[in-house]
Amino acid sequence: MAIFLGVDAGGSKTTCAVGDDTSTLATATSGGSNVTRCGEGAARIELQEAMQAACVAARIRLADVSRICIGMAGAARPVTSAVIRDIVAEIYSGELEIVGDMVIAMQAAFGDRPGAIVIAGTGSIAYGRNSRGETARAGGWGYEISDEGSGHWIGRAAISAVMRAEDLDEAAPTGLALSILRAWHLNSLDDLVRAANASPPADFSSLFPHVLAAADAGDPVARTVLTQAGTELAALAKIVITRVLEDEPTIPVGMSGGVFRSSSLVRNVFYNSVRSEYPNAAIGGGIIEPVKGALELARKGAARY
């Protein structure tokens, strides 16, 4: 019986699934393993840990795996894919395919069918494919200049909103401001300014759970930030729809990533914004798990040979 392994190598979490021709045998998770965001050393530890833990859970050896597919943001860059190949080669000598994170998410959501997938995790990207096989992407150009609506973007936007409130000379720090100070173990907004502008850059994505909690508690600044995130993610979806899916009678749209999974406000804003412009968009309510697409692509790759 052939055994396959799929990996979703994210910036905050790595998920690995082991399966045979038809079913998933086991999964495992570890910390982030995106090379660009986490660095080669951390990526090596987390990626190898997730792969080995999934095999242990499935009661197989990694050497028994016929083919592996890894999805990672930035994997299309030869330098990035070369680093991943070297990391995997330390523990596995079989067939390996490395693709972008949007490719495995698209596979998990639609298989070979047309549709648009929007990923909002530590980073963000939208990717679409029509019935003629034409594709388009939007966003996903890195957290310094893009990744709109992502966990990183939300954390940075939250600090910007807190400081704008300070500019407006509001009487006391908002609940969001106090939550951010506690999250980063800071004492004042001056400390926050220094931390946010530090080099190397701070981990803005770590603030997402705190923004979410503040929004759930009714903080208006936090709710505004999450509303903006939903709007930005919808804008990415609209770009790929306009470019390759506008002529489809029905436009399937999928959501993936921790931001969508955790925030009903982001999901609702995203849904309403996309549907207001494209009433024929069929937006799935479930959150797509890209690792399922990675496992399926590992199976499909083996079937080609």
Side-chain angles (χ1 to χ4, degrees):
M1 179 175 61
I3 301 295
F4 306 98
L5 190 148
V7 181
D8 175 19
S12 300
K13 182 177 71 171
T14 302
T15 305
C16 180
V18 174
D20 57 23
D21 288 323
T22 58
S23 62
T24 300
L25 303 177
T27 61
T29 61
S30 63
S33 61
N34 181 281
V35 172
T36 302
R37 183 167 184 84
C38 305
E40 183 176 343
R44 172 179 285 102
I45 293 170
E46 303 298 345
L47 181 57
Q48 292 182 356
E49 177 183 323
M51 293 168 60
Q52 292 169 329
C55 289
V56 169
R59 299 183 179 180
I60 64 162
R61 299 175 304 155
L62 189 54
D64 296 329
V65 173
S66 299
R67 185 177 176 86
I68 294 174
C69 176
I70 297 175
M72 176 185 292
R77 302 184 187 98
V79 172
T80 301
S81 62
V83 170
I84 296 301
R85 288 189 181 278
D86 288 344
I87 289 172
V88 174
E90 294 174 0
I91 60 173
Y92 177 75
S93 60
E95 295 181 1
L96 171 65
E97 180 179 16
I98 302 171
V99 298
D101 58 342
M102 72 282 194
V103 175
I104 62 173
M106 176 69 83
Q107 180 68 34
F110 309 116
D112 296 326
R113 303 183 304 278
I117 185 75
V118 181
I119 304 172
T122 304
S124 68
I125 191 170
Y127 185 66
R129 180 179 62 225
N130 61 25
S131 55
R132 297 181 298 277
E134 299 166 334
T135 63
R137 59 165 285 175
W141 303 115
Y143 59 87
E144 291 285 5
I145 59 173
S146 182
D147 287 0
E148 298 85 355
S150 68
H152 180 96
W153 184 96
I154 288 170
R156 186 179 60 197
I159 294 178
S160 296
V162 163
M163 299 317 300
R164 176 55 55 87
E166 175 70 5
D167 289 340
L168 295 173
D169 196 27
E170 296 187 356
T174 67
L176 176 60
L178 296 174
S179 181
I180 290 174
L181 292 176
R182 287 193 296 269
W184 278 3
H185 308 291
L186 303 173
N187 296 317
S188 68
L189 293 182
D190 285 341
D191 291 341
L192 178 60
V193 170
R194 284 191 289 272
N197 288 289
S199 182
D203 183 7
F204 291 99
S205 65
S206 68
L207 296 178
F208 171 61
H210 304 278
V211 178
L212 184 63
D216 289 344
D219 185 277
V221 177
R223 291 186 64 82
T224 296
V225 169
L226 294 180
T227 298
Q228 292 172 340
T231 301
E232 292 286 350
L233 293 167
L236 296 179
K238 292 174 187 178
I239 290 171
V240 298
I241 290 172
T242 299
R243 290 181 60 189
V244 297
L245 286 159
E246 208 166 34
D247 297 333
E248 300 288 333
T250 301
I251 305 171
V253 179
M255 299 176 286
S256 181
V259 171
F260 280 126
R261 182 181 299 106
S262 301
S263 177
S264 59
L265 177 55
V266 172
R267 293 194 303 272
N268 290 338
V269 171
F270 175 82
Y271 180 94
N272 291 332
S273 181
V274 173
R275 291 271 297 174
S276 68
E277 190 162 338
Y278 294 98
N280 59 331
I283 304 175
I287 304 302
I288 302 302
E289 298 294 341
V291 71
K292 296 179 180 179
L295 181 57
E296 183 58 32
L297 286 173
R299 293 177 179 130
K300 289 182 65 175
R304 289 198 297 264
Y305 296 96

